[in-house]
Amino acid sequence: MIDTLPYPDDFLLAQKCLEGDLLSISQFQQTCRGYVADYLVSAGADAEQAQELANEMRADCLAERADNRPRLATYGGNSPLRTWLKAVALNKLVQRKRNEKRKRQLEIDGRPIDDPGVEGEAPSSTEAPLLEIMRGAVEAAFHECDAEDFVLVQLAHANDLLGRELAQMYSCSEAKISRDLERARRSIADATMNYVREKDPWLVLKWEDFLDLCRVASPACFGVE
């Protein structure tokens, strides 16, 4: 069963951690301390925030909770464990940054910290912050995408049509199809990243990272039912 997973070694490590294997837990904790903290700094956290969140992740992923399983139990081995950790860590960072922004605004306005509303901000969502960003970015990108470009990208990626097949459909050369696809992909990528920067200006996220996160992020990943 495990051998059929795309990343069986990572899945086995996660399972051993959940079973209490000390060597596996030590390996996992080292990854959180090093790789996760470094990634958070590259994504826009300061060094102190990165270490705090990495430590919080170690406990959140491994500790039994009264109302839920350890976070690591949601990892299914369908993606690299490090990519999964990036998604969980980034979600925590976005939540932390937004809470800090809200607290600063309340202090400026002279309102109590538990005030439910901040002028100019949308009501808080029950959705995980990272999922909210990703969903909004994809919707914005496809909304801005030219209709013909959208169809071309869908045929190439959703329907797995080859360049020569698309060239025959469009009665043009494969070279033109290749150029049109590259332009459409770049347009979608630019619109996506523009949305991310507008939503959370501090967030440093590369297009390649966004694609990785789309492959692994899910409500269960963040404990959202």
Side-chain angles (χ1 to χ4, degrees), residues 1-15:
M1 177 65 178
I2 292 180
D3 291 339
T4 63
L5 294 173
Y7 297 90
D9 291 341
D10 284 358
F11 181 76
L12 185 59
L13 173 65
Q15 294 306 301

Side-chain angles (χ1 to χ4, degrees), residues 12 18 34 47 55 74 113 124 126 140 142 151 155 180 184 188:
L12 185 59
L18 294 170
N55 290 337
T74 67
I113 299 300
S124 59
T126 57
F142 284 142
V151 171
L155 289 172
D180 288 348
I188 291 171

